[in-house]
Amino acid sequence: SCWRSAACTPGCMKRSSAGTQRTPNNPTRKDLAPMGTLYIVPTPIGNLEDITLRALRILREASLIAAEDTRTTRKLLSRYEISTPLTSYHEHNKLAKLDTIFDALALGDVALVSDAGTPGISDPGYELIQEALARGIPVVPLPGPSAVTAALVASGLPTDRFLFVGFLPRKAAALRAALQELAPLRATLIAYESPNRLVATLEAARDVLGDRPAVVARELSKLHEDFQRGTISKLIDHFRENEPRGEITLLFGGAVENDSSEPWDEQRVRRALADRLAQGEPRSSAARAVAEASGWNRREVYNLSLD
Ligand code: SAM
């Protein structure tokens, strides 16, 4: 049976008493004052139909909605005639707002939403969720839209192992360094990217990762949804011809076994080495990392670093 809260009615499942979550048999605070649940509520990433029945119910029944941008969330709520009070919770007030949100949680449930997709995924949420867990407040995630999973499942790239890296660095040297770290991984790589940086990121990726399979998923769930699938070079050609617009999720195939058995050519090794040295990495560790990724001997790579 359900130990608390109006929001826990149809479809409510008994919460496990694992971890630090507070349950009837496992209170983590001495006082047994009523305490709400923090619900993490995904919202549509483009198509307003992509909201679940459960998300609508939680948004309606919560005593407060903490929203990244209250104006954006108000539009969604008004479409479904939901009038729950809103407070802002965004990148610039996410620490200052904790008290307000925990005061509300002492009295009832709070729903956390971002502008689009799943809160906490390249969106505010992490600090609030950590603090709620530390205070023994139940944290309940609702499954729902996120660009990362929508892009992955339709990309045609392997889905059994993937790494989401959020937004890659903007500056050229930091971008190359980040790509160097990702280069040897076997997992499909997924990043969020802005349209005006797409071609530069693809060019850096072709240099550092090699010309692998890649996919650009654009405007997911919207009228002009578009998937471009091919090699990185093919995508560079396509987006030089067709200026990228809209929201973009970028995916790269992971390193394949052949990559490590086929040594890199000297130019690629030199470039990888130069990138690491430019980041201030010591020669010995740069040589070791590049040797591992390239199939070259560490001493040979080290000697190149002295040229
Ligand atoms: N929390 C969101 C989620 O779960 O997907 C992501 C928020 S992040 C600030 C926004 C980025 O996600 C966009 O810049 C874009 O890279 C990606 N994105 C969001 N909506 C998208 C869509 N409809 N199609 C493709 N990518 C999208």
Side-chain angles (χ1 to χ4, degrees):
S1 66
C2 207
W3 64 282
R4 59 154 308 282
S5 145
C8 205
T9 42
C12 177
M13 281 173 281
K14 234 176 169 176
R15 267 194 285 275
S16 111
S17 60
T20 55
Q21 293 210 344
R22 181 171 173 259
T23 70
N25 301 323
N26 182 26
T28 56
R29 280 165 47 137
K30 281 200 190 90
D31 64 280
L32 285 176
M35 193 194 281
T37 291
L38 176 64
Y39 287 97
I40 304 164
V41 182
T43 55
I45 57 169
N47 187 326
L48 283 187
E49 287 178 347
D50 291 335
I51 182 97
T52 68
L53 298 174
R54 186 176 174 213
L56 290 174
R57 181 175 63 77
I58 297 295
L59 291 174
R60 189 169 285 121
E61 293 177 355
S63 52
L64 181 70
I65 297 172
E68 185 181 8
D69 183 336
T70 52
R71 286 161 307 177
T72 307
T73 302
R74 204 161 273 129
K75 282 185 207 147
L76 179 75
L77 298 186
S78 71
R79 182 181 162 134
Y80 294 100
E81 296 177 355
I82 294 172
S83 52
T84 307
L86 285 162
T87 191
S88 70
Y89 177 75
H90 51 68
E91 206 45 45
H92 305 292
N93 73 0
K94 62 186 181 188
L95 298 179
K97 263 302 166 81
L98 291 181
D99 283 347
T100 313
I101 295 172
F102 286 110
D103 285 351
L105 276 164
L107 302 170
D109 295 331
V110 172
L112 172 66
V113 299
S114 61
D115 285 354
T118 301
I121 303 297
S122 295
D123 266 343
Y126 175 74
E127 291 82 358
L128 174 60
I129 291 159
Q130 278 240 312
E131 185 59 27
L133 293 172
R135 295 184 188 205
I137 293 171
V139 174
V140 174
L142 272 58
S146 189
V148 59
T149 43
L152 173 66
V153 291
S155 67
L157 296 171
T159 56
D160 57 336
R161 211 175 345 173
F162 61 91
L163 179 69
F164 172 63
V165 296
F167 287 93
L168 287 164
R170 293 169 182 220
K171 295 205 169 129
L175 171 62
R176 283 175 168 269
L179 290 167
Q180 292 288 356
E181 254 179 54
L182 300 172
L185 306 182
R186 300 274 165 84
T188 296
L189 307 172
I190 312 172
Y192 289 157
E193 191 49 284
S194 88
N196 50 19
R197 286 198 300 273
L198 178 66
V199 171
T201 298
L202 287 170
E203 286 170 346
R206 183 181 52 189
D207 285 355
V208 178
L209 303 178
D211 198 13
R212 310 182 173 184
V215 177
V216 171
R218 222 167 42 79
E219 297 286 86
L220 289 162
S221 80
K222 302 185 198 175
L223 189 61
H224 298 293
E225 178 176 290
D226 174 46
F227 278 84
Q228 293 297 323
R229 302 176 177 88
T231 56
I232 299 179
S233 302
K234 193 180 149 216
L235 296 182
I236 292 172
D237 292 345
H238 175 84
F239 286 107
R240 276 194 186 135
E241 292 280 305
N242 307 276
E243 194 190 330
R245 296 217 169 101
E247 297 200 277
I248 288 174
T249 300
L250 174 60
L251 305 95
F252 301 107
V256 288
E257 239 153 295
N258 278 349
D259 278 1
S260 49
S261 60
E262 249 175 52
W264 298 1
D265 63 29
E266 184 173 329
Q267 194 193 8
R268 190 168 166 204
V269 173
R270 282 186 184 278
R271 219 161 25 206
L273 196 57
D275 283 341
R276 284 182 176 268
L277 295 175
Q279 290 292 306
E281 192 171 338
R283 276 175 207 289
S284 54
S285 95
R288 192 178 331 109
V290 173
E292 207 169 284
S294 64
W296 278 47
N297 171 289
R298 187 163 59 85
R299 172 83 13 220
E300 285 174 331
V301 178
Y302 187 87
N303 289 341
L304 286 181
S305 79
L306 301 172
D307 290 358

